[in-house]
Amino acid sequence: RKEVEQDPGPFNVPEGATVAFNCTYSNSASQSFFWYRQDCRKEPKLLMSVYSSGNEDGRFTAQLNRASQYISLLIRDSKLSDSATYLCVVRPGGNNRLAFGKGNQVVVIP
Amino acid sequence: DAGITQSPRHKVTETGTPVTLRCHQTENHRYMYWYRQDPGHGLRLIHYSYGVKDTDKGEVSDGYSVSRSKTEDFLLTLESATSSQTSVYFCAISLDTVPYEQYFGPGTRLTVT
């Protein structure tokens, strides 16, 4: 079983709409959780860390469900500039190694 | 900006030749990583370093070696490049405190012909 699984999409989203997607992780002992954003032919960039109580950064909301071992990301009022691939990332154990999902591709349509 | 640079940014090389990619950081982070990214596979860890001269293998280390003689530089060497090593290579650093998020360099696009 893969450490982190994501539905690659693409998720075609009308501008101004809300889009949400999840990823699941296999290691129940995972300790840190992140969403990264990756634009085409660019490096991944940290979008936000995900905390147990859930957290929000502007139009972006992240949730963690430890019982079901999934993480979610919701984007409200989608902008054209939100078009990117969103990587779900988990730190599975006690060291610094991260496990990456393959990403959710989001395409915001005018 | 985590002050990470990679060189070269693009390289085309022939099968069987040695190739060295360089990652340079300016902020004295202890942990450094090399990943490759291929369509359908996502980011996969090749090697990582937890200090000068301290390195360990990742999940796809065959055919690669690394060296770290200074805190700021982490080198990835393909001893004899193969076409299967055509990929985009990213270097990363991680912060030394929880949650240990990582920051990436701009990447090197390597083509082995």
Side-chain angles (χ1 to χ4, degrees):
Chain A
R1 184 180 172 189
K2 295 189 186 305
E3 288 185 292
V4 181
E5 300 217 45
Q6 292 182 259
D7 175 1
F11 294 79
N12 295 318
V13 185
E15 191 175 8
T18 296
V19 61
F21 33 83
N22 297 338
C23 82
T24 58
Y25 60 95
S26 60
N27 187 337
S28 60
S30 296
Q31 300 183 13
S32 301
F33 308 88
F34 311 93
W35 284 102
Y36 278 71
R37 171 192 170 127
Q38 187 171 25
D39 294 295
C40 188
R41 301 176 76 86
K42 298 286 190 179
E43 73 273 25
K45 293 186 177 179
L46 179 65
L47 179 66
M48 56 199 304
S49 300
V50 186
Y51 302 110
S52 297
S53 56
N55 47 301
E56 187 174 304
D57 183 2
R59 296 181 294 107
F60 297 83
T61 300
Q63 297 280 353
L64 168 62
N65 185 317
R66 284 190 181 271
S68 301
Q69 295 181 211
Y70 75 83
I71 308 154
S72 64
L73 180 67
L74 182 145
I75 307 174
R76 287 184 300 277
D77 188 22
S78 297
K79 312 291 185 191
L80 296 177
S81 58
D82 294 333
S83 296
T85 297
Y86 292 85
L87 306 177
C88 176
V89 182
V90 172
R91 186 167 66 92
N95 59 30
N96 292 13
R97 187 181 69 82
L98 298 182
F100 291 79
K102 295 180 183 179
N104 298 114
Q105 185 186 3
V106 173
V107 179
V108 181
I109 303 164
Chain B
D1 184 2
I4 306 168
T5 57
Q6 293 185 230
S7 59
R9 295 292 313 281
H10 301 270
K11 186 170 182 67
V12 179
T13 192
E14 293 184 349
T15 299
T17 60
V19 176
T20 295
L21 308 183
R22 179 181 183 239
C23 177
H24 178 80
Q25 55 133 337
T26 59
E27 298 183 357
N28 291 320
H29 294 290
R30 181 179 169 200
Y31 289 89
M32 298 183 76
Y33 307 81
W34 277 109
Y35 293 90
R36 61 178 289 174
Q37 188 174 37
D38 306 286
H41 288 280
L43 280 156
R44 293 182 291 175
L45 182 64
I46 305 171
H47 282 278
Y48 65 98
S49 170
Y50 46 96
V52 173
K53 299 193 190 308
D54 292 323
T55 65
D56 207 347
K57 295 179 180 180
E59 59 184 299
V60 290
S61 60
D62 287 348
Y64 301 94
S65 62
V66 289
S67 66
R68 192 165 178 202
S69 58
K70 298 185 289 185
T71 299
E72 59 266 35
D73 290 325
F74 191 30
L75 304 181
L76 176 71
T77 297
L78 291 65
E79 303 290 348
S80 177
T82 67
S83 58
S84 65
Q85 294 176 312
T86 292
S87 188
V88 180
Y89 291 86
F90 289 104
C91 173
I93 60 91
S94 71
L95 300 188
D96 292 338
T97 55
V98 173
Y100 301 112
E101 65 264 37
Q102 292 185 11
Y103 295 90
F104 289 81
T108 294
R109 195 166 294 271
L110 176 68
T111 302
V112 183
T113 61

